[in-house]
Amino acid sequence: MTISKFTKVLLGAALLTGTIIQAQAQDKKADPTGTYIWTQAGRNGGPDRTNTLVLKLEGDKLTGSLTAPGRGGAAPTPTDIADGKVAGAVVSFDIIRDFNGNSMTNVYSGTLTNDTIKGTITMNRNGQDTSRDWEAKLQK
């Protein structure tokens, strides 16, 4: 049994179409738009701290804010994210805070999987880079 030239062309086109569709699906960015919450241990044995992250993806631009409890029991305050990016399923942004004339930048990076962003927060304290894990869940 021989395969006709038409059948070969049709099979080739189907394979090519499937490859293109698969490549496009892999290139698609995750959309982290929504409100995420996570809890971390309090400072110096204090009560746990609940953080609320609001993200919005518009085209290639990731914007939003992080609301975290203030120092020394101060009221929670929102801080706009800076340099927000999404590359595939990786979400990253900076939180820049000023304390007594000093600026401190925390760099957040994580992977979005099943309504959860899980990654690390990197910061520089006293000239030393440190990091800790974070895992935020999308609120529905």
Side-chain angles (χ1 to χ4, degrees), residues 124-129:
N124 186 297
R125 291 215 170 113
N126 303 322
Q128 190 99 2
D129 281 339

Side-chain angles (χ1 to χ4, degrees), residues 13 18 33 41 52 57 61 73-74 78 84 86 95 99 106 111 113 127 135-136 139:
T33 298
T52 303
L57 182 64
K61 187 174 182 182
V86 178
I95 294 293
F99 296 108
N106 291 350
T111 302
T113 308
E135 184 173 334
Q139 302 303 293

Side-chain angles (χ1 to χ4, degrees), residues 36 89 110-119 134-138:
Y36 297 81
T111 302
L112 177 60
T113 308
N114 298 328
D115 295 337
T116 300
I117 303 172
K118 185 175 183 177
W134 69 296
E135 184 173 334
K137 305 248 184 229
L138 180 66

Side-chain angles (χ1 to χ4, degrees), residues 47-63:
D48 287 350
R49 301 166 49 87
T50 299
N51 301 280
T52 303
L53 175 65
V54 177
L55 296 175
K56 185 172 185 181
L57 182 64
E58 296 178 286
D60 287 339
K61 187 174 182 182
L62 181 64
T63 60

Side-chain angles (χ1 to χ4, degrees), residues 58-136:
E58 296 178 286
D60 287 339
K61 187 174 182 182
L62 181 64
T63 60
S65 64
L66 173 65
T67 302
R71 290 182 165 244
T77 48
T79 303
D80 289 338
I81 69 169
D83 200 25
K85 296 180 184 125
V86 178
V90 176
V91 176
S92 63
F93 57 90
D94 297 344
I95 294 293
I96 304 168
R97 292 192 176 100
D98 291 313
F99 296 108
N100 299 325
N102 296 314
S103 179
M104 184 171 81
T105 301
N106 291 350
V107 179
Y108 288 72
S109 180
T111 302
L112 177 60
T113 308
N114 298 328
D115 295 337
T116 300
I117 303 172
K118 185 175 183 177
T120 58
I121 306 167
T122 305
M123 65 220 75
N124 186 297
R125 291 215 170 113
N126 303 322
Q128 190 99 2
D129 281 339
T130 61
S131 65
R132 67 175 181 256
D133 294 335
W134 69 296
E135 184 173 334

